[in-house]
Amino acid sequence: MQANKLLRRLAQTVAWMVAATAAHAQAQPQPTPQSGGTLTYLMAQEPTALISLFNPKVENRNVSAKVTEGLLRYDRSFKPQPLLATEWKVSDDGLRYTFKLRRGVKFHDGSDFTAADVKYSILTQREIGPRGRITFANVKDVQTPDAHTAVIVLSKPAPYLLRALSSAETPIVPQRRYGDSDPLTNENSSHPIGTGPFRFKEWVKGSYVVLEKNPGYWKNGQPYLDRVIYRFIKNPASISAALEAGEANAAINVAISDLDRLSKNPRLAVDDSYDEFLSNVLFLEFNLENQILANVKVRHALALAVDRNFIANTVYYKRAQVVNSPIPAVLSNYYDPSAFHYPFDVARANALLDEAGYPRKGSDGRFSLKLAFMPSADFKRTAEYVRAALNKVGVKVEIIDGDLPTFINRVYKERGFDLSVNGLGRLFDPTVGVQRFYWSDGIKNTLPFVNAPHYNNPRVDDLFRAAAVETDDARRATGFKEIQGIVGRDLPTLPLVTVPSALQVYQKRVHNLNNSIDLTAGDFSDTWIEQ
């Protein structure tokens, strides 16, 4: 009895200590941001442009969002928040989006930000933006009733539109600087002017980009940093060494194999948060014009022969997760992974290949395939694993190498591949991100990263068309779930694992490195460094 009393008293004491500790932690004042300093940030890949208006590759987005802003930003649940737009309203029929624009905002050259800049940016994206051609396909006009009001007018509803207006995805550029020039060759791509917290200073190709504090930024007292320097170092091992030596404050593209070691460094922190805006995933794509791969039993067999957990745990050192649907789980209303159930099962894979009419032929195996991969050290290791895994079920694989232009030409133009290990962004809505994986229009109108398998299913096309203009979210969800069921069974592409494209290592004295759902494509407006 006495023992029970002691145990109860001990439990009460422990509970009190835990509560007191939690209360003390909550009561501790957060550190006050300090102004000044230079943030040196390392990247392996150099941007091809400093504005992401017409090329939204990751490196372009990351720099662009510090200089040029969008109408909205988003929290981690995709809820829109004010940025250059302070208010917005959608008409009941979904055909008019009215934005009230922030007053007193100026571009870095001193000119006023107005509705004319919004109109130019969106209509130009609609014409020549690689994703804007999909996102803004239903935009009929952008009306500007006054300098601080922009009304996007649609011919058909676009229920995903409010998620497409971030700084990196739809940057608002100064219309007067472009004038009548060709937007693709305008100097604003390499010497950008925006409204963002940082101004462009210098770009030394092959070496670095320098951004400086915008003293006239509309957020009073921000940014805190005086300067941001992006340095380009191709060798991931050299990036790790620079971080350990204190030569840089933060970096992306760190070798995944170095992360455990770097995480033990008392001065450094590792952030492997998943970029849910881009939602990048590694896919295994099947060229359906290959008569062997046109057999769905063969595709199912190859999927069963690949251990996706091995890729996540060994190739990506447990920094990736297995993916079971082309639609990201963060879009929970639309997500249904049930049709992508392909557990690692070599025996079943062998049986399916036999049923498909491809028995083993001694040492020659069953058949041979050519595998292309998007250039990346991690993608190459994945390709090498896929080759080894398929060899175990009698399929011989030849890996074909090449740089990015070679890969794009080989897969999307020449069709000189059988399998492809490809990285694709699922983005913020299935109409914008996922539709292109399966859209039959990509067969006759070839574009990079659009339907590499040359999959053609009229029912899937019809469902995507309907979802693109459906304003009732429940009906959209029904359509997207039917799509997942069909493409999960047809399997033109097999989702493998998440790609940790926003993985960062940074000094612990760096605060607030990310401030939006798109992580590395935030704006650094509230980033600061303990001096």
Side-chain angles (χ1 to χ4, degrees):
M1 193 72 168
Q2 187 67 24
N4 288 339
K5 287 183 179 179
L6 287 172
L7 286 172
R8 283 197 300 271
R9 187 174 298 170
L10 179 61
Q12 290 169 351
T13 302
V14 170
W16 177 86
M17 291 174 64
V18 169
T21 302
H24 178 72
Q26 290 177 356
Q28 289 300 302
Q30 294 300 308
T32 301
Q34 300 174 18
S35 294
T38 296
L39 178 74
T40 300
Y41 195 106
L42 307 183
M43 297 195 296
Q45 300 295 322
E46 183 170 8
T48 55
L50 301 186
I51 294 292
S52 55
L53 192 66
F54 309 122
N55 189 336
K57 62 178 288 193
V58 170
E59 296 77 27
N60 297 7
R61 292 168 59 89
N62 289 351
V63 178
S64 177
K66 280 64 178 176
V67 177
T68 305
E69 296 178 294
L71 291 176
L72 302 174
R73 72 190 317 159
Y74 306 90
D75 65 16
R76 294 305 299 269
S77 61
F78 272 115
K79 183 179 179 181
Q81 300 174 334
L83 199 58
L84 287 179
T86 57
E87 301 175 38
W88 52 95
K89 181 175 65 175
V90 183
S91 63
D92 291 340
D93 60 6
L95 298 179
R96 293 175 68 86
Y97 287 67
T98 302
F99 295 90
K100 293 297 182 182
L101 306 181
R102 192 175 297 278
R103 294 174 180 267
V105 176
K106 292 187 179 293
F107 285 101
H108 299 151
D109 62 356
S111 62
D112 291 331
F113 157 67
T114 71
D117 305 304
V118 176
K119 178 173 183 175
Y120 176 82
S121 301
I122 288 176
L123 294 184
T124 307
Q125 272 262 44
R126 180 192 66 181
E127 297 304 315
I128 55 179
R131 290 207 285 261
R133 292 168 64 184
I134 298 173
T135 305
F136 301 119
N138 297 343
V139 173
K140 185 166 60 175
D141 191 17
V142 178
Q143 297 174 351
T144 55
D146 60 62
H148 298 100
T149 305
V151 183
I152 301 177
V153 182
L154 306 179
S155 57
K156 293 181 288 187
Y160 45 84
L161 193 66
L162 272 183
R163 290 180 174 173
L165 302 175
S166 72
S167 299
E169 191 70 15
T170 307
I172 304 301
V173 297
Q175 182 270 336
R176 63 197 297 270
R177 191 168 195 217
Y178 285 83
D180 296 326
S181 69
D182 180 354
L184 294 173
T185 59
N186 188 277
E187 67 173 346
N188 204 55
S189 292
S190 56
H191 293 71
I193 290 173
T195 60
F198 294 93
R199 304 184 301 187
F200 169 75
K201 173 67 174 177
E202 183 182 19
W203 185 3
V204 176
K205 297 289 181 70
S207 187
Y208 60 83
V209 165
V210 179
L211 308 178
E212 290 187 330
K213 178 176 184 173
N214 173 14
Y217 189 47
W218 57 266
K219 280 188 183 178
N220 194 26
Q222 293 183 3
Y224 301 120
L225 297 169
D226 289 333
R227 192 176 297 102
V228 175
I229 299 176
Y230 281 101
R231 287 175 53 203
F232 313 124
I233 300 178
K234 291 185 177 180
N235 185 344
S238 298
I239 291 178
S240 298
L243 286 167
E244 290 174 305
E247 296 170 2
N249 305 108
I252 197 171
N253 309 127
V254 179
I256 295 179
S257 56
D258 288 345
L259 291 180
D260 283 345
R261 184 183 82 249
L262 294 174
S263 68
K264 295 171 185 173
N265 187 315
R267 294 180 293 107
L268 300 176
V270 174
D271 180 3
D272 59 359
S273 303
Y274 184 52
D275 185 339
E276 292 176 328
F277 190 95
L278 292 178
S279 195
N280 289 330
V281 162
L282 194 59
F283 286 89
L284 180 63
E285 300 174 313
F286 303 100
N287 184 349
L288 303 185
E289 292 170 346
N290 177 312
Q291 290 306 304
I292 297 173
L293 297 176
N295 187 326
V296 70
K297 283 188 177 181
V298 171
R299 300 197 297 276
H300 286 193
L302 300 188
L304 293 168
V306 173
D307 186 351
R308 292 180 289 167
N309 283 300
F310 179 89
I311 297 171
N313 296 333
T314 304
V315 175
Y316 280 93
Y317 295 87
K318 298 184 179 179
R319 300 281 178 174
Q321 291 78 43
V322 169
V323 173
N324 287 311
S325 171
I327 290 180
V330 69
L331 303 178
S332 55
N333 287 355
Y334 309 147
Y335 178 65
D336 181 5
S338 59
F340 284 85
H341 185 63
Y342 294 98
F344 180 51
D345 190 336
V346 172
R348 179 62 180 148
N350 276 313
L352 276 177
L353 289 171
D354 290 340
E355 289 176 26
Y358 296 99
R360 287 180 183 267
K361 302 172 183 175
S363 60
D364 292 333
R366 301 177 189 273
F367 50 82
S368 298
L369 299 171
K370 292 183 178 180
L371 187 157
F373 66 92
M374 181 189 281
S376 153
D378 298 326
F379 289 12
K380 184 175 184 178
R381 291 206 312 275
T382 301
E384 290 168 346
Y385 163 70
V386 170
R387 176 176 60 186
L390 297 190
N391 185 60
K392 291 179 179 178
V393 294
V395 177
K396 294 193 172 181
V397 174
E398 175 192 354
I399 295 177
I400 43 180
D401 210 332
D403 59 13
L404 183 59
T406 300
F407 172 81
I408 290 173
N409 189 61
R410 176 180 287 142
V411 171
Y412 295 98
K413 293 182 180 179
E414 294 178 352
R415 312 292 299 160
F417 78 106
D418 301 311
L419 303 172
S420 166
V421 171
N422 200 354
L424 298 166
R426 297 178 293 171
L427 302 175
F428 48 88
D429 187 90
T431 294
V432 181
V434 178
Q435 176 176 312
R436 61 199 172 108
F437 305 164
Y438 307 106
W439 195 236
S440 67
D441 182 71
I443 298 174
K444 57 180 181 292
N445 298 312
T446 57
L447 286 171
F449 310 113
V450 176
N451 195 1
H454 279 194
Y455 176 65
N456 187 354
N457 187 315
R459 176 59 180 166
V460 170
D461 285 349
D462 288 344
L463 287 166
F464 271 121
R465 285 192 195 96
V469 298
E470 178 57 69
T471 56
D472 184 287
D473 201 55
R475 285 197 287 266
R476 284 193 97 210
T478 298
F480 286 137
K481 288 176 181 178
E482 184 178 346
I483 288 169
Q484 288 166 94
I486 296 170
V487 300
R489 293 187 297 271
D490 288 353
L491 206 67
T493 64
L494 173 68
L496 298 174
V497 298
T498 56
V499 176
S501 56
L503 192 151
Q504 299 175 101
V505 178
Y506 59 95
Q507 293 176 337
K508 290 180 179 177
R509 66 191 187 99
V510 176
H511 297 266
N512 302 336
L513 201 57
N514 302 329
N515 64 2
S516 68
I517 194 171
D518 37 6
L519 302 182
T520 54
D523 62 17
F524 285 170
S525 63
D526 52 359
T527 302
W528 61 280
I529 302 177
E530 293 179 36
Q531 300 302 314

